[in-house]
Amino acid sequence: MTIADRLRGSVPAAALLPLRFFLGGMFLYAGLDKLLDPVFLRSDGPGSIAFQLQEFARVSPLAPLVTIFAEPFPVLVGFGIALLEIAIGLGAILGLLYRWSALAGAGLSILFFLTASWTTRPYYLGPDLPYALGWITLAAAGAGGVLTVEGWLARREARLAVRQPQWQGASRWEDPADPGRRAVLQLGVLAAASVGVATLGRAMARSAPAPTAAAAGASPSPGGSPTPGATAQPSPSTVAGASPSPEAAATAGVDGTLLGTLDQLPVGQAGRFQVQSSGDPAIIVRLPDGSVAAFDAVCTHEGCTVGYDPGSGLLLCPCHGAAFDPAHHAEVVGGPTNRPLPELPIKVDQATGRIYLQA
Ligand code: FES
């Protein structure tokens, strides 16, 4: 029977192919993305799995489980999630242990819903519930033997069994048509392929250049992907005087650390600098009324780095679309968090126009 015959004879499975390849591709990408991310598999810092677990332990209904079973081993948990996502993605795309892969995808998506997406408001903006329902659909429908390795194995072994009747009556581990033997074989192939892909991902991550401070923390969550429409634009230039100049060093301790002057930060523009004490990226904004406000740029959802969007005048997070209003102490105006960005104390010397970050 040709592939076209099988497609014709299995319309529901064929109709689900786009969903199957989308979900499989997304999970494969999400797993690889975590392994390639320069900060995700760190035991602390913005954007790391440790940072995200701390947030989950604060807001998730699974907080006690997160605290006991995940927080003590953040890197192991992060690596395990990435590996599982890769295995689920490969299982769906290749059709290996297909229904089990889809069920695992549903379980992981529900776990992400109860942790990463739990604070998303309104709830329908969170991506993990639709993912869970998509996986449940695939698990219920099955692949119908369409473009699956397990279907190919079953057909091949059925042919072998017909041609070689000596298998009849053999032990289950010798009989190529035995479903248990086939499942173990598929599990072995899937595990080997997943570990191979993960090893390749880590090797690529190690050979990549070290991240810059601005790039650190801009990574998707365990369950999430960048939200469509989240178009945070980092400001075009670093803030004037972001690196304290010799002059700034001379004034530090009196008025604070010199960041620049009002002339260098036009109304409606923003710039970046780094908070020396915490190492966090920070952002400074010249508001429409001419005043200046500065904030820690680490998103209070899961630690990505926010950017300033001159069009809306908001600070936007590229990971899951959190939006903060710099004109109102970075209060949350959208997205999956309910905590504003920490505001940093700024002093402007009106006589000279100098902007200082106070201690
Ligand atoms: S990290 Fe999720 S919205 Fe910012």
Side-chain angles (χ1 to χ4, degrees):
M1 188 185 286
T2 65
I3 289 179
D5 290 336
R6 281 199 291 279
L7 282 172
R8 269 194 295 277
S10 185
V11 172
L16 288 174
L17 278 179
L19 180 64
R20 171 181 154 192
F21 286 119
F22 171 75
L23 292 179
M26 284 298 105
F27 265 55
L28 180 57
Y29 166 69
L32 265 176
D33 195 53
K34 289 177 179 63
L35 298 178
L36 288 167
D37 190 298
V39 296
F40 179 73
L41 288 178
R42 286 186 183 170
S43 54
D44 58 25
S48 68
I49 177 66
F51 185 99
Q52 295 178 15
L53 291 174
Q54 285 165 17
E55 281 303 298
F56 301 162
R58 205 178 58 79
V59 300
S60 166
L62 302 181
L65 297 178
V66 173
T67 304
I68 295 170
F69 296 112
E71 269 198 292
F73 324 102
V75 177
L76 195 63
V77 168
F79 189 77
I81 289 172
L83 191 59
L84 189 56
E85 284 178 327
I86 289 172
I88 290 168
L90 287 177
I93 292 169
L94 300 177
L96 270 168
L97 290 181
Y98 182 79
R99 277 198 155 104
W100 287 109
S101 297
L103 281 174
L108 202 54
S109 299
I110 291 170
L111 184 67
F112 291 155
F113 170 68
L114 294 171
T115 51
S117 297
W118 187 249
T119 52
T120 301
R121 298 287 180 274
Y123 74 91
Y124 51 76
L125 290 179
D128 296 312
L129 268 187
Y131 274 116
L133 289 168
W135 284 119
I136 289 170
T137 302
L138 294 185
V146 178
L147 300 178
T148 63
V149 173
E150 64 188 1
W152 175 79
L153 273 177
R155 287 188 294 278
R156 175 180 168 276
E157 289 160 358
R159 281 198 302 273
L160 272 178
V162 169
R163 280 195 215 130
Q164 300 178 17
Q166 74 270 25
W167 295 119
Q168 288 163 13
S171 83
R172 60 183 306 187
W173 298 113
E174 293 171 322
D175 180 357
D178 182 82
R181 179 183 182 279
R182 268 208 316 267
V184 171
L185 185 66
Q186 289 181 61
L187 186 61
V189 173
L190 189 55
S194 304
V195 170
V197 170
T199 306
L200 191 66
R202 285 310 287 163
M204 288 168 64
R206 286 205 185 91
S207 62
T212 63
S219 66
S221 72
S225 54
T227 306
T231 53
Q233 297 295 322
S235 59
S237 60
T238 48
V239 70
S243 306
S245 61
E247 183 186 9
T251 55
V254 181
D255 292 308
T257 302
L258 180 63
L259 296 177
T261 66
L262 290 176
D263 289 347
Q264 295 168 310
L265 190 63
V267 170
Q269 296 287 311
R272 292 186 180 281
F273 62 97
Q274 190 172 35
V275 182
Q276 301 294 331
S277 54
S278 64
D280 283 0
I283 196 158
I284 184 168
V285 183
R286 186 87 184 270
L287 300 169
D289 66 1
S291 63
V292 175
F295 306 92
D296 192 307
V298 177
C299 179
T300 52
H301 180 223
E302 289 179 10
C304 294
T305 303
V306 303
Y308 179 66
D309 176 30
S312 63
L314 297 175
L315 299 167
L316 302 181
C317 178
C319 288
H320 313 100
F324 306 88
D325 184 355
H328 293 91
H329 307 287
E331 70 181 24
V332 179
V333 293
T337 179
N338 51 18
R339 284 191 300 148
L341 298 171
E343 189 160 7
L344 301 173
I346 289 290
K347 177 183 174 185
V348 178
D349 184 331
Q350 296 299 341
T352 61
R354 288 178 174 173
I355 306 168
Y356 296 95
L357 174 67
Q358 296 190 298

